Every structure is written in structure tokens, then in C-alpha cells.
């Protein structure tokens, strides 16, 4: 199973409903209070460009090349060779792990980003996806949004701190990894299985989540992703003896499957909200207006107001926050144009609310299919070592005051009054491997993304030039705020 195939990565109340937002915070919505020095803006730009122009797709790319390129920069910045590890299960799928030694007053913090990107065909794009291009205030290229920009921010911040002689009060660990987007060599999983001591930490900060959101250039909120849905694929399958198409009967594998999928289309899982989602709706209500704001406050109560749930569920993004969702994504059927189908099969992709059991979801889907001629099975997933991965629910990470306060301090030092909002991702990231391994993980993207311009995994992927350069300072300040009590 791809860990994170194409999914609606970004979305909020503005994107969903074009709501009217409350007045801007006291700091200008367009300019941060400070920017990174030009030296480090140039460095970040060069690292970003270098990463974009190294193809790291699963089909033809080489993640190891990107890992080695970043290791070279870290060595040149003064990091010792024994503190830099490049390793992985395959020659083209090696990961980079760096340890920045601190005073040891507190336990280490892990920072992760993935180096791989989804496929991109030149014929689908108006520009070359593997040439870094600056055009009309945007950087274009595969991975500009997801997530080589974040990788560049992390590498730049670590180099900047090293050159400044900064001594953190804890070790800082950087892991840039393979196969978050798919493939069979997921780097975080492999590191946990084979070299956990390299990345053992009190908690993890993942720049592949917790988006900072803006609408038409105006900053709205800074996300703190502490929870994410669980990705599970299910196979719906109907088998039949088949026969000649000139003598059809109602007993048809395609019809059986179609009926089951039609029933799935109209089915909704029960409402299930945890602390993170309730907090999100409370924060979002303060930014919304009218009936939408009232509905958000009503669903945040325990129990949630059914009428408010029904109204908000009409918006796909809110529906995904409120429920486990399952949707048909691929179809296969038949073997000849003039023969009755012997097989019809569909992939049903589910995003499961944290804490729910994937096997219980399977049984629900079996009941929804309501046809003994349609089997429902979980599509098996292999770990980096080839073993089967147990499909289990992923618990949310507790909202550690230390992390919340560090993000608030960082954000408010640049945009006073901008809210930091806990979120649950409707998709999945490498954070789920770490949460299952007992390492709390928090998504903090450190960059603003425009609500109505989500191009992650799509054609002509891009990120705003200003947003990237703002991120250079945000990430640096966040890391220092997490590793110093001053």
C-alpha cells in the first residue's frame, strides 16, 4: 500500500465554504516581523533547487543521490562524519540521519522529512517537473510543495545553527527518508526496525503536516497536526464461472460488484471525534461566521449535535474530519469483450479515524456490500523488511505543552495573534509509524499554503517564493525554541 497516495492534503473552512473570516491579527498579514539573513535565504534556495533537480520518484529516481547530496552539505558545514549516517535496504533507497549533539539536559527531538516524490510525466506538465523554475512569485517543480521545500528548510536550519555555534540543550536528530509516497522501502519504518537507536527521541516534528494556511495571501492559522487518519485499502471481489456473452444471466460478477459499490456510495460511518478534532472545530468557529460557526460549536460539544453534524457533513473536508470514510478508487473486471465476467474487483480506499479497528471497518464494509457473492478483504501491506504489516489503529499524540508553546512562541514572534490550531490530517504521513512505535509526532509545516491552490501530487506543483523564504526563518526559530528554555 502506498503510505500516502494522492489525497486532499490541504483544506479548511475557507477552502470548503468560502467563509468570511474575522479581522486580521495585529501584525501585518503579509509580512513577518523578521526574515532570515540573505546568506541563509540563498543557501535554502540552492538546497531547494538541488533537491528538486534530483529525481526521487519510485520508478526512475534515486533517493540515495539526494541523501548523499545533503550529507555532503552537512559535512562541509562542520558536522562530524560519525554523526552522519546514510543507510537503507536498497542502493537507491538510502536514508540520511544526522545527530546534532547538545548538552543532554533533555531527551532528543527528531525532525523528519521525506526525500521521495510522486511520479510526474513531462507531457502532463506545462514545465519540466524536474527543473527548478522561479516564475511569477512561485517556485515550480515536483516536490516543491510535497515536500522538498520542507527538507530544504530543515537542512538549512541545521547548517545555520552549526555555523552560529549554537549548542542546544538536547540532541537534535534529522532524518530525511525514502518511500513515504509509496514503494516497499519506507525509510522511517526501516529505521525503526533496524536502527531505532539512531532516531530514538522524546517526540518528533514532521514538516509533512500541520499546514500554515492562508487565503488570498492573508495568513489565517498555523496548524499543529497531532493526529492523522489511518490509510487502509480493502478489496471488493466477485468471482463467477462466466460463460458466453450471448446467453447472459443476472448472476454477473460485475453486477454483484456494482450493487455493492452503489450501497457503499450512500453509506456513512458513525461520527467519531477525538480531542484534536473538537479543538479544531472550536478554533475554526472563531474564524467562521453565521450558521457555519454555530454548527462548528455544536459539533464540538459532547455529544455532537446531530443536525449540525448532518449540515457540516455536506462539505467533503468536514465530512472527513467527522467520520471514517471509504471510497472506491480502482476497478478491474472481465477478461474478454464477448465473455461473461469471471471476476470483478474494486479497490476501496479507507481513511480511518484514529482508534478505530481496521478489521471492524472491514466487517462493516462486508455488511454494507450485503452480497454473499462479494468478498471484502484487507489488502496486505509489506514492511521494509518484507514482513506483513499489521493493520491497526494509530493513536493521536498528546498535545504536549512544550510543543504547543514552542510553536506559539515561534509564530507569535513573527505574526502576533495568529492562532495555532491543533489538527487531524485526513490523510496519512510517516508520522503514523512513529506514533505506533511510541514516539509522539507533531506535524508543523513551517510554511503557508494557499487554500485554493493545492497542487501536491498534481501537475505544475508549486509553492510561493515568499512562503518558502518565510519558512526559512520559521523553521529555524521553531527548532531553537524546542531546544532551548531561554
Amino acid at each position: 500500500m502506498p503510505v500516502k497516495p494522492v489525497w486532499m492534503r490541504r483544506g479548511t473552512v475557507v477552502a470548503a465554504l468560502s467563509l468570511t473570516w474575522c479581522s486580521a491579527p495585529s501584525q501585518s498579514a503579509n509580512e513577518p516581523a523578521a526574515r532570515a539573513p540573505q546568506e541563509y535565504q540563498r543557501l535554502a534556495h540552492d538546497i531547494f533547487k538541488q533537491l528538486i533537480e534530483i529525481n526521487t520518484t519510485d520508478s526512475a529516481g534515486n533517493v540515495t543521490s539526494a541523501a548523499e547530496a545533503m550529507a555532503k552539505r552537512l559535512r562541509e558545514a562542520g558536522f562530524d562524519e560519525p554523526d552522519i549516517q546514510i543507510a537503507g535496504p536498497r542502493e537507491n533507497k538510502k536514508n540520511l540521519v544526522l545527530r546534532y549533539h547538545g548538552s543532554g539536559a533533555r531527551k532528543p527531538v527528531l525532525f523528519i522529512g521525506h526525500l521521495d516524490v510522486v511520479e510526474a510525466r513531462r507531457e502532463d506538465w506545462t514545465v519540466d517537473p524536474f527543473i527548478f523554475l522561479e516564475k511569477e512569485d512561485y517556485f515550480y517543480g515536483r516536490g516543491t510543495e510535497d515536500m522538498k521545500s520542507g527538507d530544504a528548510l530543515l537542512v538549512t536550519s541545521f547548517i545555520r545553527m552549526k555555523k552560529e555555534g549554537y549548542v542546544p540543550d538536547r540532541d537534535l536528530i534529522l532524518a530525511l527518508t525514502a518511500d513515504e509516497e509509496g514503494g516497499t522501502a519506507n525509510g522511517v519504518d526501516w529505521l525503526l526496525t533496524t536502527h531505532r537507536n539512531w532516531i530514538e527521541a522524546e517526540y518528533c516534528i514532521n514538516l509533512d503536516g500541520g499546514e500554515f494556511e492562508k487565503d488570498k495571501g492573508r495568513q489565517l492559522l498555523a496548524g499543529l497536526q497531532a493526529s492523522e487518519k489511518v490509510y487502509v485499502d480493502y478489496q471488493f471481489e466477485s468471482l463467477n464461472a462466466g460463460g458466453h456473452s450471448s446467453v447472459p444471466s443476472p448472476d454477473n460478477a460485475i453486477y454483484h460488484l456494482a450493487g455493492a459499490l452503489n450501497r457503499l456510495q450512500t453509506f456513512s460511518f458513525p461520527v467519531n471525534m477525538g480531542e484534536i478534532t473538537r479543538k479544531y472545530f472550536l478554533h475554526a468557529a472563531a474564524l467562521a461566521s453565521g450558521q457555519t460557526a454555530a454548527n462548528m460549536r455544536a459539533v464540538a460539544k459532547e455529544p455532537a449535535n446531530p443536525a449540525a453534524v448532518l449540515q457540516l457533513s455536506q462539505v467533503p473536508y468536514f465530512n472527513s474530519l467527522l467520520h471514517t470514510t471509504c471510497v472506491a478508487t480502482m476497478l478491474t473486471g472481465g477478461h474478454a469483450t464477448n465473455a461473461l465476467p469471471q471476476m470483478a474487483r474494486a479497490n476501496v480506499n479507507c481513511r480511518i479515524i484514529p482508534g478505530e479497528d481496521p478489521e471492524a471497518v472491514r466487517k462493516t464494509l462486508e455488511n454494507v456490500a450485503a452480497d454473499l457473492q462479494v468478498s471484502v478483504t484487507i489488502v496486505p501491506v509489506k514492511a521494509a523488511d518484507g514482513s506483513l504489516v499489521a493493520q491497526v489503529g494509530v493513536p493521536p499524540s498528546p498535545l504536549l505543552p512544550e510543543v504547543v508553546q514552542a510553536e506559539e512562541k515561534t509564530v507569535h514572534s513573527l505574526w502576533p495573534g495568529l492562532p495555532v490550531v491543533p489538527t487531524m490530517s485526513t490523510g496519512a504521513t510517516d508520522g503514523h509509524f512513529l506514533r505506533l512505535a511510541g514516539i509522539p509526532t507533531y506535524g508543523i509545516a513551517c510554511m503557508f499554503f494557499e487554500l485554493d491552490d493545492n497542487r501536491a501530487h498534481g501537475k505544475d506543483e508549486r509553492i510561493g517564493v515568499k512562503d518558502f523564504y518565510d519558512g526559512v526563518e520559521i523553521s529555524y526559530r521553531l527548532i531553537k525554541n524546542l531546544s532551548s528554555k531561554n
Side-chain angles (χ1 to χ4, degrees):
M1 164 187 88
V3 176
K4 188 181 71 178
V6 177
W7 54 288
M8 186 56 160
R9 194 163 171 260
R10 317 203 186 283
T12 66
V13 285
V14 168
L17 293 179
S18 300
L19 299 176
T20 300
W21 292 80
C22 298
S23 59
S26 56
Q27 174 67 32
S28 166
N30 293 321
E31 296 297 333
R35 283 276 181 86
Q38 286 291 327
E39 172 189 359
Y40 294 108
Q41 290 189 42
R42 287 193 297 272
L43 176 63
H45 171 280
D46 294 346
I47 292 173
F48 194 14
K49 180 179 188 294
Q50 183 178 22
L51 285 172
I52 294 297
E53 295 185 350
I54 299 174
N55 187 327
T56 54
T57 59
D58 185 53
S59 62
N62 191 314
V63 172
T64 303
S65 296
E68 289 175 342
M70 295 303 100
K72 181 175 184 293
R73 286 185 175 273
L74 292 166
R75 291 188 198 100
E76 291 172 349
F79 286 100
D80 295 331
E81 188 66 38
D83 296 326
I84 302 172
Q85 308 291 340
I86 297 181
R90 299 211 300 270
E91 281 303 309
N92 66 334
K93 295 292 179 73
K94 291 185 179 181
N95 312 283
L96 166 65
V97 180
L98 167 74
R99 183 173 290 267
Y100 188 138
H101 291 284
S103 68
R106 290 189 286 170
K107 294 180 180 178
V109 174
L110 170 66
F111 298 84
I112 63 170
H114 63 84
L115 292 168
D116 63 312
V117 296
V118 298
E119 304 294 334
R121 301 191 308 168
R122 176 64 184 89
E123 57 268 31
D124 293 337
W125 286 49
T126 58
V127 298
D128 190 322
F130 298 105
I131 297 295
F132 186 72
L133 173 66
E134 181 176 350
K135 179 182 177 183
E136 298 174 350
D137 299 323
Y138 288 94
F139 291 129
Y140 286 83
R142 174 55 89 218
T144 48
E145 185 174 356
D146 187 14
M147 64 156 293
K148 288 182 175 178
S149 52
D151 299 329
L153 297 187
L154 287 171
V155 174
T156 301
S157 294
F158 272 68
I159 291 175
R160 179 178 174 182
M161 291 185 297
K162 186 68 172 178
K163 288 186 174 181
E164 292 175 345
Y166 173 65
V167 180
D169 66 4
R170 64 206 316 168
D171 284 5
L172 304 174
I173 305 167
L174 171 63
L176 302 180
T177 61
D179 279 10
E180 193 272 352
E181 300 289 8
T184 58
N186 182 273
V188 172
D189 179 37
W190 185 82
L191 287 168
L192 285 167
T193 302
T194 62
H195 297 285
R196 177 158 180 163
N197 60 307
W198 291 357
I199 61 170
E200 188 67 56
E202 185 172 359
Y203 55 82
C204 170
I205 303 298
N206 179 12
L207 267 65
D208 192 24
E211 289 77 16
F212 289 22
E213 298 176 347
K214 65 177 184 175
D215 180 39
K216 298 177 178 62
R218 179 167 166 265
Q219 285 81 1
L220 300 173
L221 59 86
L224 173 59
Q225 184 243 65
S227 179
E228 57 189 274
K229 281 186 156 182
V230 181
Y231 179 113
V232 182
D233 282 316
Y234 295 84
Q235 180 177 276
F236 281 39
E237 184 179 57
S238 181
L239 302 177
N240 195 284
H244 201 287
S245 62
S246 65
V247 285
S249 77
D251 184 19
N252 182 300
I254 290 177
Y255 295 162
H256 284 294
L257 179 64
L261 295 178
N262 186 59
R263 288 183 282 277
L264 174 64
Q265 180 185 11
T266 59
F267 175 76
S268 180
F269 282 83
V271 173
N272 187 350
M273 283 188 293
E275 175 194 9
I276 303 301
T277 305
R278 292 185 188 279
K279 286 181 179 291
Y280 173 84
F281 277 116
L282 283 174
H283 281 283
L287 298 171
S289 61
Q291 188 59 48
T292 300
N295 286 338
M296 289 176 170
R297 286 190 288 269
V299 299
K301 295 179 179 179
E302 294 189 71
N305 180 278
V309 167
L310 184 62
Q311 291 183 51
L312 287 181
S313 295
Q314 303 309 305
V315 179
Y317 178 68
F318 296 150
N319 182 66
S320 294
L321 292 178
L322 293 165
H323 311 268
T324 286
T325 60
C326 294
V327 61
T329 56
M330 296 182 70
L331 283 171
T332 305
H335 62 285
T337 58
N338 59 352
L340 299 176
Q342 296 174 11
M343 176 275 294
R345 185 179 298 136
N347 186 83
V348 172
N349 178 241
C350 294
R351 305 303 177 116
I352 301 173
I353 294 287
E356 293 186 9
D357 180 11
E359 173 58 21
V361 171
R362 188 199 68 78
K363 290 179 180 178
T364 298
L365 292 175
E366 200 169 57
N367 292 334
V368 171
D371 189 334
L372 294 178
Q373 298 302 312
V374 177
S375 64
V376 180
T377 57
I378 295 177
V379 177
V381 182
K382 288 188 176 181
D385 62 1
S387 63
L388 290 179
V389 176
Q391 301 282 20
V392 296
V394 180
S397 299
L399 288 174
L400 294 178
E402 174 183 319
V403 176
V404 175
Q405 291 165 11
E407 183 173 358
E408 288 178 340
K409 181 179 179 181
T410 301
V411 170
H412 295 164
S413 71
L414 297 166
W415 291 276
L418 188 73
V420 172
V421 180
T423 63
M424 177 188 72
S425 287
T426 57
T429 72
D430 276 339
H432 83 277
F433 289 110
L434 294 161
R435 290 188 178 103
L436 284 174
I439 300 176
T441 301
Y442 305 92
I444 305 177
C446 294
M447 284 174 291
F448 285 93
F449 297 91
E450 190 68 43
L451 294 175
D452 61 357
D453 190 35
N454 172 33
R455 301 191 184 189
H457 296 200
K459 79 173 195 175
D460 294 348
E461 184 179 352
R462 68 184 188 179
I463 189 171
V465 172
K466 176 183 177 299
D467 299 317
F468 175 72
Y469 287 133
D470 287 349
V472 175
E473 185 66 14
I474 297 170
S475 58
Y476 168 77
R477 293 192 184 198
L478 176 68
I479 296 171
K480 293 192 75 173
N481 286 332
L482 288 166
S483 58
S484 172
K485 290 194 174 182
N486 295 332

